[in-house]
Amino acid sequence: MGGRALVLFAHGARSASWAAPFERLRDMVAARALDTDVSLAFLELMSPRLPEQVATLVAQGVDDVTVVPVFLGQGGHVLRDLPLILDEMRLAHPGVAIRAVGAVGEDPEVLRAMTDYCLSALPSPLA
């Protein structure tokens, strides 16, 4: 029997510090998904890239992979690049279920939390 994995998929950047919030998110998700391998992968500029990470997971016996794009919107990377990468990974790993959900920033609950945060930045009205 194989295992399941959740891969948080981010863009990547030249600065190593850029990944810090994504690493915190990965750790927070992993703390609540004890039966799932939770990892980070990147589109470009950082390692591991998504196909490399999925290949590593499959080599470890994972046969069910869910990719969560940690992007604010369904821009070109999510709409154009990700489906091509998913198709390539499915061809490379037949028998492994590989799926993706929409960008995290498109989720109504995430948008509500971001709205609350934005509104909390306003100074309190004077009494």
Side-chain angles (χ1 to χ4, degrees):
M1 186 175 111
R4 70 179 190 171
L6 186 63
V7 181
L8 307 183
F9 176 57
H11 187 277
R14 287 183 179 82
S15 169
S17 63
W18 176 90
F22 298 94
E23 292 164 351
R24 286 194 299 273
L25 178 62
R26 176 205 53 213
D27 294 347
M28 291 170 69
V29 172
R32 293 177 56 187
L34 301 178
D35 61 341
T36 303
D37 184 302
V38 180
S39 59
L40 266 175
F42 303 96
L43 176 66
E44 58 190 21
L45 303 172
M46 300 185 111
S47 291
R49 302 281 177 90
L50 183 56
E52 296 164 1
Q53 181 61 20
V54 169
T56 298
L57 292 166
V58 171
Q60 294 170 354
V62 168
D63 63 1
D64 187 284
V65 178
T66 301
V67 177
V68 178
V70 189
F71 287 74
L72 281 183
Q74 302 275 93
H77 291 311
V78 176
L79 294 176
R80 182 185 59 247
D81 300 334
L82 181 56
L84 295 173
I85 296 168
L86 291 169
D87 287 346
E88 290 172 7
M89 292 188 308
R90 289 178 184 124
L91 283 172
H93 308 289
V96 176
I98 301 174
R99 75 190 64 78
V101 296
V104 70
E106 299 284 334
D107 180 80
E109 290 295 317
V110 173
L111 286 173
R112 270 192 282 282
M114 290 170 54
T115 300
D116 292 344
Y117 177 79
C118 291
L119 291 172
S120 74
L122 288 171
S124 298
L126 297 176

